[in-house]
Amino acid sequence: MKNLLPLLFVVTAAAQPVTIAHRGASGYVPEHTREAKVMAHAMGAEFIEQDVVLSKDDVPVVLDLHDIHLDTTSDVATRFPDRKRADGRYYALDFTLAELRQLSMHERMDHKKGTQAYPKRFPASTGGFRILTLDEELELIAGLNQSTGRVAGIYPEIKQPAWHRKEGHDISPIVLRVLAKHGYTSKQHACYLQCFEHDEVKRLRGELGWKGRLIMLMGGGKTGVGGSNFEHMRTDAGLAELAKLVDGIGPSISSIVSGNQITDLASRAHSHGLEVHPYTLRIDDLPKGIATPDELMHLLFDEAKVDALFTDFPDVTVNWLMKATKH
């Protein structure tokens, strides 16, 4: 299916904030499944996220969380019991696409405890969900955009590119080729590309020539995978440097809201012309000191003035923003 090259409505501090479906409608059905993406689109999310890793045969597939692993969200240990590495984990990169297609995906499990990570969500004992390639997901979203007449953008994240390269696979140029195939090449298109690794973000913009919108993801700690210095990035000097490279930042909610108060990170980022897209609203896992999702969204949207929000529950955020607009 040929993408119709949907134009991106510009997200700025002065515009209406938007909802990013975190791994789809992952609060209701298993993350990154076809069903989660269709549900997120139907709920009105303006953007739908794709976490991207590679298969053994270099096909970009849409998988979960910050993982390059398969054992927390699939039956890989049952289907391929002898394929785990020395650390006891099963890596997507060790399986061909044909093998990955044999897996049944399910609700996330806690790897250490062996229990469902979010007990009240879709039963982990219920399977039948399948892995999507990035190409398949972009076709799906393009089809939904055409059939509904409502444009939902995409929000791919390149997962652990430095690790992939150490394993002999260069994920970023492969992802960019798929995006270009579907018409996502510039800032006029409904796509944000994101990554936690600062060196790779610089490479995407420089060596690899990505001209679309780019987000620097920021963990809540001092440093991250790939040597990213998040502590420096949160300073004014760090934000000024990022503003020359990216269109916005993706900090943790804890970097924006502390207790029931906001920090000054969003306002300082805005002063440097950066958009702010924090992650992740989970109504079943609210930050300490926050009593309700409404309270958290008030702090994020009304007080901190964030431009977008990642959420496992797209309908909750979409509905809150619709009500806020009417007042």
Side-chain angles (χ1 to χ4, degrees), residues 59-244:
V59 178
V61 293
V62 181
L63 284 173
D64 41 28
L65 195 63
H66 303 294
D67 282 354
I68 45 179
H69 307 112
L70 291 165
D71 39 303
T72 53
T73 55
S74 80
D75 64 348
V76 65
T78 300
R79 196 167 293 276
F80 297 102
D82 300 325
R83 299 284 291 277
K84 60 186 176 184
R85 292 196 181 189
D87 61 1
R89 304 301 301 272
Y90 294 81
Y91 290 73
L93 194 58
D94 294 337
F95 296 83
T96 65
L97 177 60
E99 291 171 330
L100 292 174
R101 290 198 188 281
Q102 298 177 43
L103 300 180
S104 178
M105 309 305 292
H106 54 65
E107 186 66 35
R108 174 167 296 278
M109 301 291 290
D110 185 302
H111 174 67
K112 294 181 179 178
K113 297 179 181 178
T115 56
Q116 188 165 328
Y118 297 99
K120 294 183 179 181
R121 295 191 183 185
F122 198 95
S125 58
T126 304
F129 300 97
R130 302 297 173 187
I131 283 176
L132 283 172
T133 66
L134 179 60
D135 187 63
E136 290 168 341
E137 177 152 335
L138 300 192
E139 276 200 350
L140 172 67
I141 292 172
L144 290 169
N145 286 347
Q146 177 170 310
S147 63
T148 65
R150 188 188 74 80
V151 172
I154 64 168
Y155 211 122
E157 179 186 343
I158 298 176
K159 290 293 185 184
Q160 298 198 29
W163 179 86
H164 275 88
R165 283 200 301 278
K166 287 180 182 178
E167 296 284 325
H169 299 258
D170 195 358
I171 184 172
S172 291
I174 296 173
V175 170
L176 293 187
R177 285 196 292 272
V178 175
L179 294 181
K181 173 186 173 182
H182 288 269
Y184 298 104
T185 58
S186 80
K187 293 186 181 184
Q188 295 303 308
H189 300 138
C191 173
Y192 284 92
L193 186 60
Q194 56 177 337
C195 186
F196 273 102
E197 296 181 19
H198 187 244
D199 286 347
E200 195 69 9
V201 168
K202 290 192 293 185
R203 181 175 178 241
L204 285 162
R205 192 61 98 198
E207 175 190 338
L208 298 179
W210 171 247
K211 299 186 184 303
R213 292 175 179 264
L214 189 58
I215 297 292
M216 181 71 232
L217 288 168
M218 298 166 59
K222 293 183 177 181
T223 59
V225 175
S228 296
N229 188 339
F230 298 135
E231 185 175 39
H232 174 68
M233 289 181 202
R234 289 190 289 267
T235 67
D236 279 329
L239 292 170
E241 292 167 8
L242 286 176
K244 299 175 183 178

